[in-house]
Every structure is written in structure tokens, then in C-alpha cells.
Amino acid sequence: MSDGGTGIEALISLISRLPGLGPRSARRVVLMLLKKRTTLMAPLAQALSVVAQSARDCTLCGNISTDDMCDICTNTQRRSSGEICVVEDVADLWAMERGMAFQGCYHILGGTLSPLDGIGPEDLRIPDLVVRVEAGDIREVILALSATVDGQTTAHYVAESLEASQVRVTSLAQGVPIGGELDYLDDGTIKAALRARRPLF
Amino acid sequence: MSDGGTGIEALISLISRLPGLGPRSARRVVLMLLKKRTTLMAPLAQALSVVAQSARDCTLCGNISTDDMCDICTNTQRRSSGEICVVEDVADLWAMERGMAFQGCYHILGGTLSPLDGIGPEDLRIPDLVVRVEAGDIREVILALSATVDGQTTAHYVAESLEASQVRVTSLAQGVPIGGELDYLDDGTIKAALRARRPLF
């Protein structure tokens, strides 16, 4: 039946395709937008249209940006750190930035090696990384890839690709997460934490 | 920290204001939109802009529509039924339509009487309803208001306002919901269902 005209129905169907939203919550979103037509709906349409037109991949690191080069790569202080953090995708970069612990630049691979899905080294931005490192001024490459089989396979492949350039290659530490209780941790994490134990004195 | 440019940050902040979405899920939505820039983001911007410009209240029933009169009010078959279902807002109209049980027209009050919030009869579309009923061709007014104190107060007020027009005024039945287990029902519902019990033979 009619939900108030074809335009509104089309909008509900588009919004229900967003992650975490179904037909019911999409209707709720549209009702709220209809109530706030000028204060929320019009600005949202405008913001979406601007980003859809201007968003592109940073030519250096692959981060999504509204310019040719992203905010991080244009920051000379961050570039002069000589550190590149290698992540799988933009979501991981945003997660690292939320932590505010890293002050260098990034390199986004665009996924992990996955022979089963037909994703080989040529599908990721690994050759770009090698070129970037060989161009110089890079002291350290930090691999911040998922602690999954695919993530770790990719980490090893990237490390091998960078062997010739003699750059320092490190990886995020694996162990007990902050706030984690041993009782609830999986065996793999406990084993990794034990292997990587460190002296307190 | 930067989530990839001011345009993208502004978009995340707008999306996080939608119901059921917080900053974290808004970021997830934006990441997905950025991946589907042409297939989802641009069409969504377009659909939002069209609806924001064209959506208005139906002049007869108050339903939201992209025309002066909504699909339901322009449907002559539905208007000729002579039945008006009175609901609080558009969400309730959509809920009734999902049930596909009602074939008449609607009248949206725009809320319920609520003296505590300063909402009196003049703030709702009750006078419009009286005019509509007195204009004729209406056989029955069905009150489909919430079974809350405010909803029932409003129902009584609407019924009294319509007394002079001598139209038949009915209300949705109250009782055990379909699929409801007695054990989990509140006392009020059980009492209402018992009061409104009906003979099987």
C-alpha cells in the first residue's frame, strides 16, 4: 500500500539498504526526516550530494578525501615522521585515528590477500607501497592488519615485498586486550600473549 | 581527528542525528555510502532533495504526500466508502495501511491532547475533522488512537465534538493482541479484554 507517494517510497527503499537499517527503521528515519524537512532533510541531501561528487581516493595513501591528497598526507609534520602504518581499509584508518596514538602517515591496501576469493597481490595496493618506501624518507612500516589468517598472510607478504628496501617493518602487538578478562579470552589470544610476554623489571 | 575531510565529517554528524543511529553506526553508514558512491549515495542525495522540496501535508487529511492531495484522498473508491479513520500521526496511518484492513480515508490529528505539554484542541486538526464530517457523505468515524491516557482523552474529546453531526463514531477494539500470551499481558489489557468479551455462539 501507499506510504505517501512514490518519491517517499523510493526514499524508504534506498535508506533500508544502509547497514543496520531494515524496512521498519528506514520508515522511522524517513518519518523523522519528513518532520525536519528544512533543518535535517535538506542539509543531508546537500551534504550527500557534495560528498558523492567530491569524494575520491587520496593519490598517495588511498584514504578517502574530498581533495586529491587527504588531510593526513598533506600534513607535513605527519609526513616528516617517516612512519607508514599499513591498514586494510578506510574503516581501519578511522579506528587508528580515533585512538590518536599514531602521528605518521597511512597506506591503505584495499583488502587482504585471499586466494579463495581470487584476491592476489596485484589486486591490493602493495606495489604502490613498495614504490613509496623505495622513494625514500621512510624509517618504519607498521603493519596494522587484522589478526586473522588472511590478515596475517597479507602481513607476511607485505613484509617480504619490503625486504629489499631494508626499511624497518613492525607489526601491532598481539595479546590480552585492555579490560579483557583471561577467563573469557580464546586460546589463541592467550597463547599469543604468553609467547610475547615481556619482563617487568 | 580527521575522518577524511570536513565534508565527510559533516555528513557523519548529520547522519548520527537520525533515529537509531549513533556516531559509530553513522560512520559505518558513511563508509558504505562512500564505497557505493554512484549506485547508492548519489541516488539517495537525489531522492532526499526531491522529497525535501516536494513533500507537503495533504490538504484534506494531513497525510504527507508529494502532491496537494495524498494518494488515499484522491482515490475515489476509498472516498466513496464514507469512512474516516482518525489517527494521531503519519506513522499510525502507515501502520494501518500495512495491515491493509481499512479501505476508507484518514484524518491525521497531529498528536494528542496533552494539557501538561500545553497541547489543547486548537493545536490539533479536530475542527477540520468536524467541518469534514458536517460537509456530508461520511457514514462512520473510526477512532484509531493510542490506548494511553492522552490517546483516550483525545478520543473522548473527538467523539463529543462530533456528537452534533450525528455521525456513527466507533473506536478500535481493545483486548488480547494476536499471538499474545495471557501470562505476559499487563492487568489493564486483561481487564479490558474481559469487559469487552463476546459470545462465541
Side-chain angles (χ1 to χ4, degrees):
Chain A
M1 285 314 300
S2 160
D3 273 350
T6 46
I8 296 174
E9 274 169 57
L11 184 58
I12 294 173
S13 119
L14 280 170
I15 287 183
S16 67
R17 285 169 56 193
L18 299 178
L21 292 163
R24 191 172 278 261
S25 42
R27 268 196 298 270
R28 200 153 63 99
V29 165
V30 169
L31 274 172
M32 194 241 208
L33 285 171
L34 285 168
K35 273 182 197 153
K36 302 190 174 178
R37 256 168 275 173
T38 48
T39 56
L40 187 55
M41 197 176 205
L44 181 59
Q46 176 66 14
L48 275 169
S49 154
V50 165
V51 173
Q53 276 163 29
S54 63
R56 70 200 93 166
D57 293 346
C58 169
T59 48
L60 197 59
C61 72
N63 185 14
I64 277 184
S65 166
T66 44
D67 288 309
D68 274 340
M69 213 182 260
C70 73
D71 288 0
I72 297 171
C73 288
T74 48
N75 183 331
T76 48
Q77 213 177 338
R78 297 190 74 149
R79 284 187 74 167
S80 64
S81 76
E83 291 173 350
I84 292 181
C85 178
V86 177
V87 290
E88 281 173 34
D89 55 31
V90 178
D92 294 344
L93 185 154
W94 289 5
M96 289 289 296
E97 285 296 288
R98 278 200 298 282
M100 289 196 284
F102 181 64
Q103 293 302 323
C105 288
Y106 290 91
H107 192 87
I108 293 175
L109 293 182
T112 50
L113 295 175
S114 179
L116 285 178
D117 301 319
I119 300 175
E122 65 284 353
D123 300 311
L124 304 179
R125 298 182 66 249
I126 297 177
D128 295 12
L129 176 64
V130 176
V131 169
R132 220 175 136 185
V133 169
E134 283 174 351
D137 290 342
I138 306 297
R139 286 189 302 107
E140 180 173 351
V141 172
I142 301 162
L143 303 177
L145 299 169
S146 299
T148 56
V149 173
D150 282 350
Q152 294 308 299
T153 310
T154 312
H156 279 117
Y157 185 88
V158 172
E160 270 175 29
S161 308
L162 293 171
E163 216 163 10
S165 62
Q166 294 193 307
V167 72
R168 188 176 176 218
V169 180
T170 56
S171 164
L172 287 191
Q174 293 182 351
V176 182
I178 304 301
E181 295 181 42
L182 282 195
D183 196 15
Y184 293 99
L185 278 182
D186 60 300
D187 300 351
T189 302
I190 292 185
K191 272 185 203 158
L194 189 64
R195 261 201 310 270
R197 67 188 178 277
R198 57 203 181 80
L200 281 177
F201 303 103
Chain B
M1 286 312 303
S2 161
D3 274 348
T6 46
I8 296 175
E9 274 168 57
L11 184 58
I12 293 172
S13 119
L14 280 170
I15 288 184
S16 68
R17 286 169 55 193
L18 299 178
L21 291 164
R24 191 172 277 262
S25 43
R27 267 196 299 270
R28 201 153 62 99
V29 164
V30 170
L31 275 172
M32 195 242 206
L33 286 170
L34 284 169
K35 275 186 195 151
K36 302 191 175 176
R37 256 167 274 173
T38 49
T39 56
L40 186 56
M41 197 177 206
L44 182 58
Q46 175 66 13
L48 276 169
S49 156
V50 165
V51 172
Q53 277 163 29
S54 64
R56 69 199 92 165
D57 292 348
C58 169
T59 49
L60 197 60
C61 73
N63 184 14
I64 277 185
S65 167
T66 45
D67 288 308
D68 275 341
M69 212 183 261
C70 73
D71 290 0
I72 297 171
C73 289
T74 47
N75 184 330
T76 47
Q77 213 177 340
R78 297 190 74 150
R79 284 188 73 169
S80 65
S81 76
E83 291 173 350
I84 292 182
C85 178
V86 177
V87 289
E88 281 171 36
D89 55 30
V90 179
D92 294 344
L93 185 154
W94 289 6
M96 290 289 295
E97 285 295 287
R98 279 201 297 283
M100 289 196 287
F102 181 64
Q103 293 302 325
C105 287
Y106 290 91
H107 192 87
I108 294 177
L109 293 183
T112 50
L113 295 174
S114 179
L116 284 178
D117 301 321
I119 299 175
E122 63 287 354
D123 299 312
L124 304 178
R125 298 181 68 248
I126 297 177
D128 296 12
L129 177 65
V130 176
V131 169
R132 220 177 134 183
V133 168
E134 283 175 351
D137 289 341
I138 306 297
R139 285 189 301 111
E140 180 173 351
V141 172
I142 301 162
L143 302 177
L145 300 168
S146 299
T148 57
V149 173
D150 283 349
Q152 294 309 299
T153 310
T154 313
H156 279 117
Y157 185 89
V158 172
E160 271 174 29
S161 309
L162 293 171
E163 219 164 5
S165 61
Q166 293 193 308
V167 72
R168 188 176 175 218
V169 180
T170 56
S171 166
L172 288 191
Q174 292 183 351
V176 183
I178 304 300
E181 295 182 43
L182 282 194
D183 196 14
Y184 292 99
L185 278 181
D186 60 299
D187 300 352
T189 302
I190 292 185
K191 272 184 204 157
L194 190 64
R195 263 202 309 273
R197 66 189 178 278
R198 57 203 180 80
L200 281 176
F201 301 103

